[in-house]
């Protein structure tokens, strides 16, 4: 079990620089984490111990050239809001890949979707990404090629965009929550079962945080610690609760919440992120547990252990996060776009945006992508640059669908299931039988993918794109 002491963290901070290992305890003074430019990111195949028992072969991960690490999981990338960022992806896999920068509003050519925004990056080749992140917050990066296999085998990493005006925390822990499908011999088993792909999706057998079963992180007693929580699993929806301390929800999907509330239970679906301000207990050695209570038996995700003399901080001490651009929709003049999420009769599928699983189970507007239509790869809708739209999303299936929009943000304005807040987001969990209105301004030109982030649903039809011109 990976444990990193506060003393070790502080000692290694100068070495760690831009490369987060998932946890950082910061001094009270402001500290810059400028990523080198360009970063050399390698997609590679490695062996790694994921279940705490034995090494798993043919794991896929990202590594940074010139930054050797004992941690095999993808590094936490740290960028600065408004500062140019560049990265070269080198593909050392045995199949094509790309990088999609999930949640970032960047130029279309940098979005990392093959056949839509860029060509494949073939084995042994490279691709250069360059953009300036306009928003601060917690985001992530992953491939958009053969996504079920590549993400399922490890290619998911946390991406943090920092702002100098953010409040200073006493520590920070980035948590990448995900399953792996391993057999009793610690090796990969089939990534999905067709009967499960046609329902909620196929669940993993080994549950991890930062590629470790139930890790424990040391955090300063009595301090305020920022928890950046990412659900990068291909299937699992988390119901997160905290035991042993209080935490306040401060951001969702990278964007500050309109009103802070104490964490009771938060639902986090694949693709979504949750930022919490954790108030660590005062007593040294006290343990705090982050638990997933879905579906019935609570499961410890990770624990935090208080170390050192208490800092005696208070949640009320925490200043406001730096604001991001909002979604200022002209609701009176917004054009409505119908989006029906449904199941479809089982058919053999054609190659889609991200390949195929050989089945067609799901559809948008009754058409599984690509459709059996006059133009099977046509956009869902064509949007005019600068105009306001309301996506009328209706889920007529008995399963939840975390719907993600590339390149732009939206906010929910109404739902028949529950009250909504004006939260800026890029991924919304549409519940069974829910009708939700997602408002957006088409402010980023290009072809932007719109899909369910349960990857089996994405790859069996619940995918499409909007064209903004």
């Amino acid at each position: 079990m990976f444990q990193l002491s506060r003393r070790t963290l502080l000692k290694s901070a100068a070495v760690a620089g831009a490369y987060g290992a998932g946890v950082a305890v910061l001094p009270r003074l402001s500290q810059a984490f400028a990523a080198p430019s360009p970063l050399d990111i390698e997609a590679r195949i490695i062996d790694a111990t994921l279940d705490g028992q034995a090494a798993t072969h043919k794991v896929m991960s990202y590594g940074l050239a010139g930054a050797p690490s004992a941690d095999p999981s993808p590094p936490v990338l740290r960028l600065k809001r408004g500062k140019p960022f560049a990265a070269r992806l080198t593909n050392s896999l045995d199949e094509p890949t790309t990088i999609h920068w999930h949640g970032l509003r960047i130029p279309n050519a940098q979005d990392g979707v093959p056949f839509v925004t860029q060509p494949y990056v073939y084995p042994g080749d490279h691709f250069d990404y360059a953009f300036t992140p306009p928003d601060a917050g917690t985001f992530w990066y992953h491939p958009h090629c053969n996504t079920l296999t590549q993400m399922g085998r490890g290619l998911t990493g946390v991406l943090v965009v920092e702002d100098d005006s953010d409040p200073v925390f006493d520590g920070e822990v980035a948590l990448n929550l995900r399953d792996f499908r391993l057999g009793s011999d610690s090796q990969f088993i089939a990534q999905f079962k067709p009967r499960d792909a046609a329902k909620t999706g196929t669940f993993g057998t080994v549950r991890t945080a930062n590629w470790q079963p139930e890790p424990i992180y040391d955090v300063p007693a009595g301090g305020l610690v920022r928890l950046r929580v990412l659900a990068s699993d291909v299937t699992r929806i988390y119901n997160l609760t905290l035991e042993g301390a209080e935490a306040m929800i401060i951001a969702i999907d990278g964007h500050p919440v309109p009103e802070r509330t104490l964490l009771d239970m938060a639902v986090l679906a694949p693709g979504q992120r949750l930022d919490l301000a954790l108030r660590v207990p005062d007593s040294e050695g006290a343990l705090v547990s982050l638990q997933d209570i879905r579906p019935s038996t609570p499961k410890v995700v990770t624990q935090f252990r208080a170390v050192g003399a208490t800092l005696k901080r208070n949640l009320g001490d925490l200043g406001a996060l730096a604001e991001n651009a909002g979604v200022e929709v002209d609701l009176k003049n917004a054009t409505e776009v119908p989006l029906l999420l449904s199941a479809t009769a089982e058919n053999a599928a054609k190659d889609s945006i991200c390949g195929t699983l050989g089945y067609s189970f799901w559809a948008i507007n009754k058409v599984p992508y690509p459709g059996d239509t006059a133009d099977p790869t046509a956009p869902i809708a064509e949007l005019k640059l600068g105009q306001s739209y309301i996506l009328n999303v209706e889920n007529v299936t008995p399963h939840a669908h975390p719907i993600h929009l590339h390149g732009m943000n939206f906010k929910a304005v109404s739902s028949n299931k529950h009250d909504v807040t004006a939260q800026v987001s890029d991924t919304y969990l549409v519940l069974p039988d829910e009708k939700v209105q997602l408002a957006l301004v088409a402010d980023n030109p290009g072809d932007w993918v719109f899909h369910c982030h349960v990857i089996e649903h994405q790859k069996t039809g619940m995918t499409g794109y909007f064209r903004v011109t």
Side-chain angles (χ1 to χ4, degrees), residues 80-144:
K80 282 285 190 180
R81 185 224 292 267
K83 300 293 184 182
F85 170 79
R88 167 166 287 190
L89 168 65
T90 299
N91 183 9
S92 297
L93 306 177
D94 55 8
E95 60 183 80
T97 193
T98 62
I99 294 181
H100 167 56
W101 313 92
H102 184 121
L104 294 187
R105 297 183 300 116
I106 55 180
N108 193 240
Q110 306 300 307
D111 195 48
V113 182
F115 308 119
V116 178
T117 71
Q118 71 164 87
Y120 277 143
V121 184
Y122 287 95
D125 206 348
H126 65 266
F127 187 88
D128 293 322
Y129 295 94
F131 52 83
T132 299
D135 301 313
T138 304
F139 305 96
W140 62 299
Y141 62 109
H142 63 78
H144 241 285

Side-chain angles (χ1 to χ4, degrees), residues 258-449:
E259 183 178 350
R260 292 176 175 177
T261 57
L262 291 177
L263 174 66
D264 179 18
M265 190 275 290
V267 178
L268 201 65
Q272 294 184 314
R273 293 85 65 205
L274 178 70
D275 281 46
L276 300 172
L278 168 67
R279 204 290 183 177
V280 183
D282 294 298
S283 302
E284 184 163 19
L287 287 176
V288 179
S289 294
L290 183 67
Q291 298 185 344
D292 176 21
I293 61 172
R294 183 185 178 98
S296 57
T297 304
K299 165 72 175 177
V300 173
V301 173
T302 188
Q303 291 184 298
F304 309 97
R305 179 170 49 210
V307 297
T310 179
L311 298 179
K312 298 182 179 180
R313 297 291 301 279
N314 190 292
L315 285 172
D317 299 339
L318 191 64
L321 296 178
E323 286 295 330
N324 290 333
V327 178
E328 304 303 326
V329 179
D330 180 1
L331 293 176
K332 290 184 179 179
N333 297 300
T335 301
E336 298 192 10
V337 179
L339 293 166
L340 184 73
L341 309 181
S342 66
T344 185
E346 180 180 334
N347 293 298
K350 301 175 184 178
D351 274 344
S352 183
I353 287 171
C354 304
T356 178
L357 300 184
Y359 299 89
S360 172
F361 295 129
W362 302 98
I364 297 177
N365 290 342
K366 299 184 179 180
V367 177
Y369 192 91
D372 185 14
T373 59
D375 185 353
T377 59
I380 299 171
E382 296 194 22
L383 313 182
K384 295 301 181 183
L385 187 65
Q387 292 191 11
S388 295
Y389 293 88
I390 294 176
L391 308 182
N392 289 323
V393 185
E394 181 178 2
N395 180 10
V396 295
T397 81
H399 306 293
H401 299 285
I403 292 294
H404 171 51
L405 175 63
H406 289 214
M408 295 178 287
N409 292 324
F410 52 69
K411 61 182 179 183
V413 294
S414 72
S415 169
N416 67 331
K417 284 287 188 178
H418 50 78
D419 293 334
V420 298
T421 59
Q423 174 66 47
V424 177
S425 178
D426 56 73
T427 308
Y428 184 93
L429 181 62
V430 189
L431 300 177
D433 300 316
E434 182 174 8
K435 296 179 182 179
V436 61
Q437 290 189 311
L438 305 177
L440 65 89
V441 177
D443 57 2
N444 202 352
D447 291 344
W448 298 108
V449 177

Side-chain angles (χ1 to χ4, degrees), residues 45-79:
I45 298 175
I46 62 172
D47 290 349
T49 301
L50 305 172
D51 59 3
Q53 303 298 319
T56 301
H57 307 309
K58 297 183 178 180
V59 177
M60 295 182 180
S61 188
Y62 295 110
L64 296 177
S69 173
D71 184 353
S73 66
V76 177
L77 302 184
R78 293 184 178 272
L79 287 62

Side-chain angles (χ1 to χ4, degrees), residues 151-338:
M151 291 174 62
R153 293 201 173 204
L155 286 179
T156 63
V158 177
L159 187 154
V160 173
V161 181
E162 298 183 330
D163 189 293
D164 288 337
S165 64
D166 272 341
V168 176
F169 290 81
D170 304 301
E172 180 177 299
V173 181
L175 293 173
N176 183 350
L177 307 185
R178 52 159 306 139
D179 294 1
F180 291 94
R181 281 187 55 77
L182 305 180
S184 58
D185 60 355
S186 303
Q187 304 310 308
F188 285 113
I189 58 176
Q191 187 63 52
F192 81 103
K193 299 176 182 178
R195 65 177 179 272
D196 292 335
K199 298 178 181 177
T200 57
T202 308
F203 289 90
T205 61
V206 175
R207 302 179 61 179
T208 70
N210 296 335
W211 288 26
Q212 305 158 60
E214 300 181 24
I216 300 176
Y217 294 103
D218 287 344
V219 290
L224 296 181
V225 173
R226 184 169 187 165
L227 306 183
R228 299 182 183 266
V229 188
L230 159 67
S232 75
D233 194 68
V234 297
T235 301
R236 186 176 299 279
I237 299 172
Y238 296 83
N239 285 4
L240 297 175
T241 64
L242 199 66
E243 192 171 280
E246 284 189 337
M248 191 162 54
I249 298 173
I250 59 174
I252 294 172
D253 284 354
H255 301 276
V257 295
E259 183 178 350
R260 292 176 175 177
T261 57
L262 291 177
L263 174 66
D264 179 18
M265 190 275 290
V267 178
L268 201 65
Q272 294 184 314
R273 293 85 65 205
L274 178 70
D275 281 46
L276 300 172
L278 168 67
R279 204 290 183 177
V280 183
D282 294 298
S283 302
E284 184 163 19
L287 287 176
V288 179
S289 294
L290 183 67
Q291 298 185 344
D292 176 21
I293 61 172
R294 183 185 178 98
S296 57
T297 304
K299 165 72 175 177
V300 173
V301 173
T302 188
Q303 291 184 298
F304 309 97
R305 179 170 49 210
V307 297
T310 179
L311 298 179
K312 298 182 179 180
R313 297 291 301 279
N314 190 292
L315 285 172
D317 299 339
L318 191 64
L321 296 178
E323 286 295 330
N324 290 333
V327 178
E328 304 303 326
V329 179
D330 180 1
L331 293 176
K332 290 184 179 179
N333 297 300
T335 301
E336 298 192 10
V337 179

